[in-house]
């Protein structure tokens, strides 16, 4: 039951903020929350969330599909990231997003010259509808094996667009790897945002060099997240602590994430045409994003502990 509530909350939250309507549910989701400034970048809890989900149409409007680095391509929308990893033995897709976005993802894959039906494996960032609702449709169109982190399975099982059961062909555990056609991804459990939130790492080869790629699952403390006295996930603050510890242990040349705002995609994409160095190589950008998310987590936790001093 707890997973269902969390999933519904996340979806409602996204929809509410998108529509700019009053939340009307408990403590207002429209409240800005605490403010943080990291190396000149200032966010409130609400503005950081809005940076990720974008405006009313951003979650469903396709972004121009493009090559990121090596065999990694972007095939998502303006605010929901989808990555295609191309291998000689078929492809891996990361995130199906909302079910209604799946035809656009298919079109993006085809625009890049690849076949949607060559997708053999479907992975995800975390069990919220804006990233993984479309899994059943992608599986039915491609026959792909759907793999998910164990801790996210209950929330995924509760995600049933149109009543379709959520496919899960293989349950993954922290540190497990997924390999296809010479590409290996490692699944890192970075919980908090969801219980099985997964940060993926892989190597990309380009220009004779190898780069460490990190696809951030999410380190976000969304408006409405209860970090103190959370009956559903009593140790949620500890789970976030673990996520930041893991985040800081990962070597990263190329930061990517479940929302393109996490790695400044639009600005980097606009630099692609100039033919300079690959703009997606940005180790400093990764550390900045982790620092911003951790500063926000600590600010929200402190605020909630002040409001409920006896809570944990
Ligand atoms: Zn989420």
């Amino acid at each position: 039951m707890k997973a269902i509530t969390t999933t519904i909350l996340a979806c409602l939250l996204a929809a509410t903020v998108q529509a700019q309507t009053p939340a009307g549910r408990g403590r207002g989701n429209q409240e800005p929350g605490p403010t943080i400034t990291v190396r000149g970048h200032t966010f409130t809890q609400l503005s950081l969330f809005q940076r990720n989900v974008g405006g009313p149409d951003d979650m469903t409007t396709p972004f121009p599909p493009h090559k990121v680095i090596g065999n990694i391509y972007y095939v998502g929308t303006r605010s929901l990231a989808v990555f295609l990893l191309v291998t000689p033995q078929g492809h891996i897709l990361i995130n199906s997003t909302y079910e209604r976005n799946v035809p656009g993802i298919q079109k993006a894959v085809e625009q890049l010259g690849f076949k949607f039906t060559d997708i053999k494996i479907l992975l995800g960032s975390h069990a919220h509808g804006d990233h993984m609702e479309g899994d059943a449709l992608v599986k039915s169109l491609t026959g792909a094996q759907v793999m998910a982190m164990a801790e996210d399975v209950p929330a995924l099982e509760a995600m049933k667009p149109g009543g379709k059961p959520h496919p899960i062909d293989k349950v993954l555990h922290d540190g497990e790897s997924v390999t296809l056609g010479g590409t290996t991804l490692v699944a890192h459990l970075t919980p908090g945002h969801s219980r099985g939130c997964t940060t993926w790492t892989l190597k990309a080869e380009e220009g004779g060099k190898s780069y460490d790629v990190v696809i951030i699952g999410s380190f976000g403390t969304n408006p409405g997240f209860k970090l103190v006295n959370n009956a559903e996930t009593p140790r949620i603050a500890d789970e976030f602590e673990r996520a930041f510890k893991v985040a800081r242990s990962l070597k990263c040349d190329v930061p990517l994430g479940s929302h393109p705002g996490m790695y400044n995609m639009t600005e980097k994409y606009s630099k692609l045409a100039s033919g300079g160095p690959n703009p997606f190589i940005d180790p400093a950008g990764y550390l900045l994003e982790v620092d911003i998310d951790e500063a926000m987590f600590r600010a929200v936790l402190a605020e909630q502990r002040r409001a409920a001093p006896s809570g944990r």
Side-chain angles (χ1 to χ4, degrees):
M1 207 43 218
K2 61 189 174 188
I4 299 173
T5 318
T6 309
T7 306
I8 291 170
L9 177 68
C11 295
L12 282 175
L13 202 51
T16 305
V17 172
Q18 249 199 321
Q20 298 296 311
T21 52
R25 307 173 58 81
R27 183 173 180 269
N29 291 333
Q30 292 295 295
E31 285 178 25
T35 302
I36 53 132
T37 299
V38 177
R39 298 199 276 288
H41 302 265
T42 297
F43 290 100
T44 65
Q45 186 184 15
L46 183 61
S47 76
L48 190 56
F49 174 73
Q50 287 171 329
R51 180 206 69 173
N52 285 344
V53 298
D57 300 324
D58 289 338
M59 294 208 279
T60 52
T61 305
F63 190 82
H66 57 273
K67 179 176 172 169
V68 179
I69 190 166
N71 64 339
I72 306 172
Y73 295 81
Y74 187 89
V75 291
T77 71
R78 282 194 247 164
S79 73
L80 299 177
V82 184
F83 299 100
L84 180 75
L85 315 183
V86 172
T87 93
Q89 285 166 33
H91 313 318
I92 300 170
L93 192 74
I94 301 179
N95 291 329
S96 59
T97 76
Y98 287 120
E99 191 176 65
R100 62 185 180 278
N101 283 341
V102 170
I105 296 169
Q106 176 166 9
K107 197 174 157 202
V109 170
E110 288 163 358
Q111 275 179 289
L112 290 168
F114 304 111
K115 281 164 97 176
F116 197 64
T117 49
D118 282 343
I119 294 169
K120 306 288 184 211
I121 296 173
L122 174 61
L123 307 173
S125 289
H126 61 263
H128 289 165
D130 52 345
H131 304 288
M132 298 178 71
E133 185 198 73
D135 283 12
L137 181 55
V138 170
K139 184 179 173 72
S140 74
L141 293 170
T142 62
Q145 293 275 298
V146 182
M147 304 184 188
M149 188 69 90
E151 289 82 350
D152 257 354
V153 166
L156 289 172
E157 283 174 341
M159 200 183 286
K160 296 177 182 174
K164 289 188 289 294
H166 199 103
I168 297 170
D169 299 298
K170 187 175 181 200
V171 175
L172 301 171
H173 299 276
D174 182 38
E176 204 164 324
S177 51
V178 173
T179 298
L180 182 71
T183 290
T184 295
L185 293 127
V186 179
H188 302 269
L189 177 65
T190 50
H193 186 85
S194 81
R195 305 222 57 192
C197 183
T198 307
T199 292
W200 293 99
T201 57
L202 70 154
K203 303 260 186 199
E205 318 290 328
E206 193 167 90
K209 284 189 180 169
S210 177
Y211 296 93
D212 287 297
V213 181
V214 176
I215 306 174
I216 296 169
S218 180
F219 308 126
T221 320
N222 285 1
F225 265 41
K226 213 171 169 207
L227 299 181
V228 171
N229 293 332
N230 185 321
E232 296 175 358
T233 313
R235 299 181 66 86
I236 188 169
D238 294 342
E239 294 191 12
F240 269 105
E241 296 282 4
R242 176 196 168 126
F244 290 114
K245 204 171 161 197
V246 172
R248 294 189 185 285
S249 75
L250 301 175
K251 198 169 169 295
C252 180
D253 301 308
V254 180
L256 302 174
S258 57
H259 294 282
M262 293 170 178
Y263 66 95
N264 219 352
M265 173 186 73
T266 307
E267 192 191 314
K268 289 173 180 173
Y269 174 77
S270 71
K271 289 181 183 164
L272 278 179
S274 67
N278 188 327
F280 293 106
I281 300 168
D282 179 20
Y286 176 69
L287 293 175
L288 176 63
E289 179 62 15
V290 175
D291 285 349
I292 287 170
D293 291 335
E294 184 168 353
M296 184 58 75
F297 163 71
R298 303 220 172 276
V300 172
L301 185 61
E303 186 190 74
Q304 293 189 12
R305 282 188 174 153
R306 273 196 300 274
S310 60
R312 61 149 295 133

